[in-house]
Amino acid sequence: MRFNLDFSIYSVLLEKAGVVPDEDFPETGNLLYKDTISAQDRSRIRFVLGNRVNFVQGEELYIKRMQQYWRDLLSPEFSDAGTDETDQEDQLRDMASEAPIITLVNNIIEQAIGLGASDIHFEPGEKALRVRCRVDGVLVNISELPSTARAAVSSRLKLMAQLDIGEKRLPQDGRIKFTGKNKIVDLRVSTLPGAHGESIVLRILDRSDVLVDLDNLGMPDDVLANYEAVIQSPHGMILVTGPTGSGKTTTLYATLDKIYSDKVKIVTVEDPVEYEFPGITQVQVKPQIGLSFAAGLRSIVRQDPDIILIGEIRDQETADIAIESSLTGHLVFSTLHTNDAAGAITRLQDMGIESYLISSSLLAVLAQRLIRKTCSHCAVLQKMTAREKELLGLEAESDIDFYRGEGCEHCAKTGYRGRIGIYELLMIDDTIRKLIMEGANANDIFREGIRQGMRTLRQDALLKLRQGVTTPEEILRVSRN
């Protein structure tokens, strides 16, 4: 089965670049080609095969003979082992333990880590297995493997995550501790059965990148000053809101790092624990054994904490305990999935929390997003067009310059490198507390926040545009007017 497996991987070379392996390819590393191979094809081939490749120009007849030779090695029964329910688990384990598959999967993970990706997506289709990774919040293609590699790749990933290799009908979750060339990272694995096989997503949890100083997140000076003041409160609740992948966890860890001292006890309940914080008690949620956010919180409050961090408020029970804790002398931090700061209040009301409890406990809501930064190596000064001003709601006569990246090797030709936060901080004062008590909707609270000087997400993004940090396209992608 070694040759069958090798061909399942190498066939992408035949299809995409007109290249075939020599008869003893695994030992010599020779690839035969008839005409010129582009630099892009060479790079891709070296990535798939782990860099052990020599390109050798060959005669047309010999190349055709070698193509037929390798095709003959592909046995029909291997064409899609991943979707045949009669396959035995030991066969899948054998496939997952083949050296080429191990090298392929490791190379994909290494490349994603090198690109600074947050997720890796293995997406099976009818004719190919597409591999994409999320870099700076945007998915980019990094490889396309033949469909014959689906079973081997998925089995390898499940074996690494200690999942049930034979189970292909139900979703599964697991974790991998991956030792790369330069660092050790944790991978959170999620499988999902699909029409053409299992879709697998790896969330890269790079512990070395999680803890960031609060001063370096990108908050404007006035927002940072107000936020640093409110997190010193002795009790109450502070919420950080935004969609998945908007940097909420990073902000909360930076916050704990800012207020941590030997004089206070901090306890967290998280799913997952993404960074091990010395001196802090961290609880990992395990719903399968009954340890939910609410169950963890009930135990936490009996641990005599001063500060509590809840990874996410997902239901009324968790919200009730969080608010009760904030009203009984604890400083509580948590997250919600809402579009803006004012929306957090109506979200709590929709969960069934009484308005008077929200107004009594809530101190501030910080909404945030992450926008890509213009690559400093290829940035070119440009003037904003009339259409861009219209889309951003700016005055037509205003003269605004900004920097746009042209694309270079430092940014993988995207024009962007790295991300920075944009923020919207709603401070809960007496006026807003009164609006909450009166049952005001999110729009009324939002307008009152603006009247008091709150800078919206869009306004903060425009501020960073004027500072040369990002582009109009990026602002339109992550914020609304």
Side-chain angles (χ1 to χ4, degrees):
M1 193 163 69
R2 169 65 180 271
F3 287 111
N4 295 342
L5 186 57
D6 286 351
F7 184 81
S8 74
I9 301 171
Y10 302 153
S11 61
V12 70
L13 310 179
L14 303 176
E15 299 169 3
K16 300 295 183 182
V19 182
V20 295
D22 204 346
E23 248 179 290
D24 54 352
F25 173 76
E27 285 72 33
T28 66
N30 288 333
L31 291 176
L32 304 175
Y33 66 95
K34 178 187 174 186
D35 299 313
T36 304
I37 308 176
S38 69
Q40 182 178 4
D41 282 336
R42 287 175 184 260
S43 176
R44 183 178 181 185
I45 291 168
R46 286 195 172 101
F47 161 68
V48 173
L49 301 180
N51 271 337
R52 296 185 296 275
V53 175
N54 296 318
F55 292 95
V56 180
Q57 192 159 3
E59 295 293 333
E60 181 176 3
L61 289 177
Y62 184 58
I63 290 176
K64 286 183 177 179
R65 182 173 70 83
M66 292 304 303
Q67 285 178 326
Q68 188 59 48
Y69 169 80
W70 281 89
R71 287 194 183 99
D72 291 343
L73 289 172
L74 181 62
S75 55
E77 61 269 19
F78 183 75
S79 60
D80 199 1
T83 58
D84 186 353
E85 292 186 0
T86 63
D87 286 340
Q88 299 298 318
E89 186 173 324
D90 56 350
Q91 182 184 4
L92 293 173
R93 288 185 180 276
D94 288 342
M95 291 163 50
S97 302
E98 291 283 349
I101 281 294
I102 295 174
T103 300
L104 174 65
V105 171
N106 288 350
N107 285 343
I108 290 173
I109 297 174
E110 285 276 9
Q111 186 186 23
I113 294 172
L115 291 172
S118 60
D119 303 86
I120 310 173
H121 295 246
F122 295 84
E123 302 168 327
E126 183 179 359
K127 297 181 179 179
L129 173 65
R130 182 170 63 168
V131 183
R132 298 192 291 173
C133 62
R134 191 174 295 279
V135 181
D136 292 337
V138 178
L139 283 171
V140 295
N141 290 320
I142 61 172
S143 184
E144 188 173 288
L145 305 174
S147 59
T148 49
R150 288 185 302 214
V153 170
S154 64
S155 296
R156 177 60 193 166
L157 291 170
K158 290 161 76 174
L159 187 64
M160 294 170 69
Q162 298 181 350
L163 300 178
D164 184 353
I165 290 182
E167 179 56 76
K168 297 184 285 291
R169 300 165 300 173
L170 297 173
Q172 298 187 73
D173 295 301
R175 295 182 77 116
I176 298 171
K177 184 176 287 293
F178 181 79
T179 304
K181 296 177 182 177
N182 301 315
K183 62 172 68 176
I184 299 175
V185 299
D186 285 342
L187 305 173
R188 191 170 64 194
V189 183
S190 172
T191 73
L192 183 68
H196 300 291
E198 289 177 291
S199 172
I200 300 180
V201 176
L202 310 183
R203 166 63 61 88
I204 300 174
L205 304 175
D206 188 350
R207 299 179 186 273
S208 63
D209 291 338
V210 173
L211 191 56
V212 180
D213 192 277
L214 196 60
D215 298 330
N216 298 326
L217 294 179
M219 290 187 192
D221 291 341
D222 56 340
V223 173
L224 180 61
N226 288 333
Y227 185 71
E228 287 185 336
V230 75
I231 64 177
Q232 300 295 334
S233 302
H235 55 80
M237 184 165 67
I238 299 170
L239 297 176
V240 180
T241 74
T244 301
S246 60
K248 301 186 297 294
T249 300
T250 300
T251 298
L252 287 175
Y253 278 138
T255 301
L256 293 185
D257 184 56
K258 190 75 174 182
I259 62 179
Y260 173 79
S261 77
D262 292 336
K263 298 179 180 179
V264 297
K265 178 167 183 174
I266 303 177
V267 183
T268 75
V269 52
E270 308 171 61
D271 184 22
V273 174
E274 295 188 14
Y275 176 81
E276 295 178 3
F277 204 122
I280 290 179
T281 302
Q282 295 172 276
V283 179
Q284 169 70 57
V285 169
K286 296 179 181 177
Q288 63 271 22
I289 61 172
L291 183 55
S292 62
F293 278 110
L297 268 177
R298 281 193 293 269
S299 298
I300 282 176
V301 295
R302 293 193 287 269
Q303 290 283 310
D304 187 31
D306 299 289
I307 299 169
I308 300 172
L309 185 150
I310 309 165
E312 182 184 349
I313 294 179
R314 297 178 178 175
D315 50 48
Q316 181 179 354
E317 185 180 10
T318 305
D320 281 333
I321 301 172
I323 288 177
E324 181 182 349
S325 300
S326 70
L327 293 173
T328 54
H330 305 92
L331 181 60
V332 178
F333 294 93
S334 191
T335 70
L336 278 177
H337 289 166
T338 62
N339 290 326
D340 54 30
I345 296 167
T346 54
R347 178 78 180 96
L348 290 173
Q349 292 170 334
D350 291 341
M351 286 183 180
I353 307 302
E354 296 291 344
S355 296
Y356 75 91
L357 291 174
I358 300 173
S359 65
S360 301
S361 60
L362 197 58
L363 300 174
V365 182
L366 180 71
Q368 68 177 73
R369 299 288 189 280
L370 292 176
I371 58 173
R372 291 183 292 172
K373 298 192 295 183
T374 303
C375 176
S376 59
H377 294 90
C378 60
V380 176
L381 187 64
Q382 296 189 1
K383 288 190 177 297
M384 193 176 295
T385 65
R387 177 58 176 164
E388 288 170 338
K389 293 176 187 177
E390 179 185 354
L391 291 172
L392 291 173
L394 301 173
E395 296 179 359
E397 61 273 12
S398 59
D399 190 14
I400 300 177
D401 295 335
F402 68 96
Y403 286 92
R404 178 181 279 122
E406 292 187 318
C408 65
E409 60 181 11
H410 297 281
C411 60
K413 304 296 182 182
T414 64
Y416 299 96
R417 184 173 176 83
R419 289 189 291 177
I420 193 171
I422 56 174
Y423 300 91
E424 176 181 294
L425 179 62
L426 176 66
M427 302 294 291
I428 310 299
D429 65 359
D430 290 340
T431 303
I432 293 180
R433 292 186 200 281
K434 183 178 179 182
L435 287 175
I436 296 173
M437 287 290 293
E438 294 172 350
N441 60 38
N443 288 333
D444 293 334
I445 297 171
F446 183 77
R447 282 192 289 266
E448 177 59 26
I450 293 176
R451 191 189 69 78
Q452 296 182 12
M454 180 183 73
R455 184 184 291 108
T456 67
L457 289 168
R458 172 61 64 85
Q459 289 170 340
D460 191 19
L462 289 172
L463 178 63
K464 289 176 171 60
L465 176 77
R466 291 184 170 92
Q467 294 170 345
V469 174
T470 191
T471 64
E473 297 89 346
E474 190 65 7
I475 293 176
L476 292 169
R477 185 180 71 87
V478 301
S479 69
R480 64 176 184 174
N481 207 357

